[in-house]
Amino acid sequence: MQKKKLLLAEDDELLASLLNFRLQKGGYDVSLSINGRDVKEYLTQTIPDIIISDIMMPYFSGMELIDYVRNELKSNVPIIIISSAGNEENVLNAFDLGVNDFLSKPVSPSELLVRVERQLRKT
């Protein structure tokens, strides 16, 4: 069985490394981007099976990413946002834009893995 492709967009290199390790250990083919510009370039070439993104990233925010995927790419790929800016306004805006799930930092890698699996079962 082919591994599911996962795009992880996180500018905190330590957290990105930790999540990347756990997701790969969970059986996913992870592409890691540390800024929004790389994310957008990746998405012009490949649509992954799921996207995990921070809200606050250089060049292209997580909110802009949701809008880009839903409205320009017209894709229903599941998107999970992880953010330290988990205030009610950001959470509601993310859901209004079409995000599938939202986790506040600090993120448990095991919980994230469970949520990824849950989103992929829905598709």
Side-chain angles (χ1 to χ4, degrees):
M1 186 169 103
Q2 188 175 356
K3 289 183 176 183
K4 295 281 187 180
K5 290 183 180 176
L6 187 149
L7 173 60
L8 175 59
E10 172 59 60
D11 63 334
D12 178 325
E13 292 184 34
L14 183 60
L15 179 59
S17 178
L18 174 69
L19 295 178
N20 184 35
F21 174 79
R22 183 64 181 99
L23 292 163
Q24 284 184 355
K25 190 175 171 190
Y28 294 94
D29 177 10
V30 180
S31 295
L32 182 59
S33 294
I34 59 168
N35 67 60
R37 187 170 38 214
D38 292 346
V39 169
K40 197 168 183 180
E41 184 177 315
Y42 175 89
L43 291 172
T44 62
Q45 300 168 21
T46 306
I47 298 294
D49 295 299
I50 190 162
I51 298 169
I52 300 168
S53 178
D54 190 4
I55 282 184
M56 292 185 276
M57 287 188 305
Y59 308 113
F60 194 65
S61 75
M63 295 298 195
E64 290 170 313
L65 169 67
I66 300 165
D67 185 59
Y68 177 72
V69 169
R70 296 295 185 242
N71 297 313
E72 289 189 42
L73 298 179
K74 305 288 187 209
S75 175
N76 289 322
V77 60
I79 301 171
I80 298 174
I81 291 291
I82 55 175
S83 181
S84 57
N87 61 49
E88 184 178 8
E89 182 180 354
N90 281 336
V91 173
L92 293 175
N93 285 341
F95 279 106
D96 283 345
L97 289 171
V99 77
N100 298 85
D101 205 349
F102 193 109
L103 284 162
S104 293
K105 290 180 182 177
V107 173
S108 156
S110 296
E111 180 181 357
L112 179 60
L113 188 61
V114 167
R115 289 183 185 235
V116 165
E117 291 167 355
R118 191 171 125 226
Q119 288 301 324
L120 289 172
R121 275 197 305 270
K122 290 180 179 180
T123 57

